[in-house]
């Protein structure tokens, strides 16, 4: 007795291999198409979340500079002149930050410069003013 599997009569090995290959190709095409569609959507959602986080941080810096400027104007003895100069430079960086979608702008580098300027200002003022995102974004899709 032979223990080797045998093909049913009228069926050859090539047709089975061709059938398997054909199903693999169909499965790949379906998966690739679905991946392109869902990948684009997931990419857009991720981009929106990161843009929201970036805007939130830049808004924090904007609010801090406006508050310190107002405090410096009303109570000049609280804010040193050197700190006011750095606050003005941070304001200039905030004004230069693009509000539209500019593919040539390096937003992360601009944000890092603002962070560094914020550290300097906080040190000069003797405050622990640092942006912290404690909460996850509340955006829903």
């Amino acid at each position: 007795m032979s223990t080797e599997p045998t093909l049913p009569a009228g069926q050859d090995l090539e047709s089975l291999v061709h059938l398997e290959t054909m199903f693999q190709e169909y499965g790949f095409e379906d998966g690739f198409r679905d991946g392109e569609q869902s990948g684009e959507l997931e990419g857009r959602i991720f981009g929106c979340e990161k843009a929201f986080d970036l805007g939130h941080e830049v808004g924090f810096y904007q609010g801090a500079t406006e508050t310190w400027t107002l405090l410096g104007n009303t109570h000049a003895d609280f804010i040193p002149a050197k700190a006011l100069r750095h606050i003005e430079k941070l304001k200039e960086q905030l004004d230069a930050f693009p509000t539209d979608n500019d593919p040539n702008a390096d937003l992360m580098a601009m944000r890092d410069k603002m962070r560094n300027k914020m550290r300097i200002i906080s040190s000069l003022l003797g405050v622990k003013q640092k942006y912290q995102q404690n909460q996850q974004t509340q955006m829903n899709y």
Side-chain angles (χ1 to χ4, degrees), residues 19-91:
L19 186 64
E20 181 182 6
T21 305
M22 185 177 68
F23 283 130
Q24 284 177 344
E25 289 173 0
Y26 286 151
F28 176 81
E29 290 170 4
D30 290 345
F32 191 81
R33 181 188 65 247
D34 293 346
E36 278 184 316
Q37 292 170 353
S38 66
E40 182 178 351
L41 177 64
E42 289 174 11
R44 288 181 185 273
I45 291 171
F46 182 74
C48 286
E49 289 173 353
K50 290 301 168 188
F52 179 82
D53 291 342
L54 181 63
H56 196 263
E57 186 173 352
V58 171
F60 173 80
Y61 298 147
Q62 181 75 37
T65 57
E66 288 177 11
T67 301
W68 287 331
T69 302
L70 183 63
L71 184 63
N73 292 339
T74 56
H75 304 286
D77 53 328
F78 284 127
I79 305 222
K82 187 174 183 179
L84 284 174
R85 284 193 303 272
H86 282 284
I87 291 170
E88 284 301 317
K89 289 179 185 176
L90 180 56
K91 275 181 160 179

Side-chain angles (χ1 to χ4, degrees), residues 9-21:
Q11 194 173 32
D12 62 345
L13 188 59
E14 280 187 36
S15 65
L16 288 176
V17 171
H18 174 68
L19 186 64
E20 181 182 6
T21 305

